[in-house]
Structure formats: C-alpha cells, structure tokens
Amino acid sequence: MADQPLDDQPSDRMLGAGRTEAVHLPPAAAPRNHGRTVAAWTTTLIVVVGAVVAGLGVALAEPWLAWVGGGVVLAGLIVGKVLQVMGLGQPGSARARGGD
C-alpha cells in the first residue's frame, strides 16, 4: 500500500469527509476496583475448584466425578450472582455501566 502512487489512494469524497461521527460516553465513570470484589473472587475460586474436579473426572475416566465438578461450577455461578445481588459485587447496575 505504501508503494502505490498517491493517485491510487481513495479520495476524501470516497471516505466520507465532512461527516461527523457521534460519540457516546458512558453515563458514569467505571468502577475503579477492576473486579476485585468479594463476589468476583468467591465465584472465581469456586469455579476453578469445580473445573479442576471436572478435569480430574475426565482424566480418570470417572463420569460421576466430572458431573460433580460441573455441578460445583454451576453452584459457583449461582453463589456469585447471589453475592452480587447482596451488594458484594461491582457497584451500580449493568445498565448504568453500559451493559445489558
């Protein structure tokens, strides 16, 4: 592209020169804790333990252990959501942070 002569470059008219782009800023500043909350750490710890148990179940060819690990992962997600609802997660709602 750098080797092409300037005559082959697209013109400003083709790029839409003169048009402006709308900029949408979030309604509030994002939390500054980078996810370091009780809900986040608890969820992560439980899900990692469940994944390790499920992985051992697969490696040892023990289906029941893999299912138990999957259940622990699911329980960890539920515990994390409960902790978030209790106010131990990120402050503010997901809609206020720009999520949906």
Side-chain angles (χ1 to χ4, degrees):
M1 198 175 235
D3 297 26
Q4 295 176 350
L6 292 176
D7 297 333
D8 291 343
Q9 297 294 327
S11 67
D12 288 340
R13 183 175 50 82
M14 292 174 65
L15 295 175
R19 289 195 295 172
T20 59
E21 182 177 335
V23 178
H24 302 283
L25 298 175
R32 295 182 181 263
N33 61 10
H34 299 287
R36 290 180 285 236
T37 64
V38 172
W41 280 106
T42 304
T43 303
T44 301
L45 180 65
I46 295 172
V47 168
V48 167
V49 168
V52 168
V53 170
L56 285 173
V58 170
L60 298 174
E62 295 289 344
W64 66 270
L65 191 57
W67 282 106
V68 167
V72 171
V73 168
L74 184 62
L77 296 174
I78 293 170
V79 167
K81 189 61 178 176
V82 168
L83 289 173
Q84 180 188 16
V85 169
M86 289 174 51
L88 297 173
Q90 290 281 20
S93 68
R95 187 173 302 274
R97 286 191 310 268
D100 205 27

